Amino acid sequence: MRSKGRKESLSDSRDLDGSYDQLTGNPPGQTKKALKQRFLKLLPCCRPKSIPSLSESKTVLSSATLSSPAFLADSVEDEFELSTVCHRPEGLEQLQEQTKFTRKELQVLYRGFKNECPSGIVNEENFKQIYSQFFPQGDSSTYATFLFNAFDTDHDGSVSFEDFVSGLSVILRGTIDDRLNWAFNLYDLNKDGCITKEEMLDIMKSIYDMMGKYTYPAMREEAPREHVENFFQKMDRNKDGVVTIEEFLESCQKDENIMRSMQLFDNVI
């Protein structure tokens, strides 16, 4: 008998993925077009259709990282047939309590997740492969690794649906402090409670690599390092060479551009 741990719950996924309507007992019968439209409404700012410009790249600290979980948007098939999965997610009611999503929103998100990850969990290599589809002009592998680690909160090398919607709930429905804390955790690569220049440079290089070399106007090679220096001039209040969570929150909350970018997510779903 399998244990009913967080990542091995045997709860029925019919309710969660919407393949069974509790009121009528019938499949919901939604078309591929209708579902894709719903996904596009869920995460409209997460699907780049063209190579970003230099001006767009300057928003990466506040918005690029938070819009990252958009790999669900274009993954819906014509038919949703229940498949045998290795991991059953927690019950719908429990996920509603743990996140700020409604029952219907969780069902829509689960369909997309299950379509991309039939086993019910995604490992780092799968995550990088899925994410790369949205940045064909560049190399998103390093940034995808950083993002994967931010979602893999229990550090077991996999991201379950519970992990995914928990992070997404913070990004889309959390308070400003919640979202900034999530971003700080992403930048704090070794999770020691502070951001160093080396960590921030790794993040910035990965973002520039992800956007590719063919942006217009072309990005200068020294741009990532200059971005890091600007970041530390603004954030490192006591000039000790690291940025703490307190410095990060205070600086971001005083930056009108960052606050505006945070508010863009208020009505995404």
Side-chain angles (χ1 to χ4, degrees):
M1 177 71 77
R2 296 175 60 187
S3 63
K4 294 187 178 181
R6 183 170 183 271
K7 291 205 170 184
E8 295 182 3
S9 171
L10 298 177
S11 59
D12 194 344
S13 64
R14 294 187 307 167
D15 179 32
L16 183 60
D17 69 5
S19 60
Y20 175 79
D21 189 325
Q22 287 189 324
L23 294 178
T24 65
N26 297 321
Q30 299 187 54
T31 66
K32 178 179 180 179
K33 181 178 181 181
L35 284 167
K36 279 193 174 184
Q37 289 174 342
R38 291 184 68 183
F39 273 109
L40 291 175
K41 290 179 180 178
L42 284 175
L43 301 167
C45 57
C46 306
R47 302 180 63 252
K49 294 179 179 292
S50 60
I51 298 173
S53 66
L54 181 59
S55 61
E56 290 171 327
S57 74
K58 293 181 180 178
T59 65
V60 292
L61 284 178
S62 53
S63 61
T65 58
L66 298 181
S67 63
S68 303
F71 60 81
L72 295 177
D74 206 20
S75 65
V76 184
E77 299 294 336
D78 288 323
E79 301 293 335
F80 290 103
E81 297 180 357
L82 286 174
S83 59
T84 302
V85 295
C86 300
H87 167 70
R88 296 283 184 180
E90 295 172 354
L92 184 59
E93 289 76 15
Q94 188 172 352
L95 285 176
Q96 281 183 270
E97 293 176 0
Q98 294 173 350
T99 69
K100 297 182 180 180
F101 293 124
T102 66
R103 172 186 295 264
K104 185 59 66 176
E105 288 165 348
L106 286 167
Q107 289 175 337
V108 171
L109 289 170
Y110 183 60
R111 291 190 196 106
F113 188 90
K114 190 177 69 175
N115 188 69
E116 289 287 357
C117 315
S119 67
I121 58 175
V122 57
N123 61 31
E124 183 179 328
E125 288 306 311
N126 294 145
F127 189 91
K128 289 194 290 188
Q129 183 178 8
I130 294 169
Y131 200 71
S132 68
Q133 298 172 20
F134 295 90
F135 298 92
Q137 76 278 7
D139 179 3
S140 64
S141 59
T142 303
Y143 183 78
T145 293
F146 298 151
L147 188 64
F148 177 87
N149 291 335
F151 277 98
D152 181 20
T153 55
D154 52 7
H155 310 297
D156 66 350
S158 64
V159 171
S160 67
F161 180 67
E162 295 94 324
D163 295 328
F164 179 71
V165 294
S166 293
L168 199 62
S169 177
V170 172
I171 295 168
L172 300 182
R173 297 286 170 81
T175 64
I176 294 297
D177 278 1
D178 290 338
R179 299 174 194 183
L180 291 175
N181 272 282
W182 195 93
F184 182 89
N185 180 63
L186 173 65
Y187 300 146
D188 180 14
L189 299 182
N190 66 359
K191 313 306 178 192
D192 66 349
C194 61
I195 302 171
T196 65
K197 285 189 176 183
E198 290 76 16
E199 287 175 320
M200 202 64 215
L201 184 59
D202 287 343
I203 288 284
M204 291 310 306
K205 284 181 176 178
S206 72
I207 292 174
Y208 278 81
D209 287 344
M210 179 173 63
M211 291 189 294
K213 298 180 179 179
Y214 303 104
T215 56
Y216 183 82
M219 294 182 189
R220 294 173 296 107
E221 186 175 346
E222 62 272 20
R225 192 172 296 277
E226 290 177 357
H227 202 131
V228 171
E229 290 301 324
N230 290 334
F231 175 88
F232 270 78
Q233 286 179 12
K234 180 182 295 185
M235 303 276 182
D236 185 11
R237 299 283 181 170
N238 62 1
K239 307 303 178 186
D240 64 350
V242 298
V243 174
T244 64
I245 181 62
E246 292 80 14
E247 290 174 321
F248 184 79
L249 291 175
E250 181 182 354
S251 300
C252 288
Q253 289 166 350
K254 292 180 179 179
D255 190 304
E256 293 183 3
N257 291 328
I258 293 177
M259 287 298 96
R260 264 198 304 272
S261 69
M262 295 292 104
Q263 294 166 359
L264 291 175
F265 296 91
D266 287 346
N267 300 307
V268 168
I269 298 182

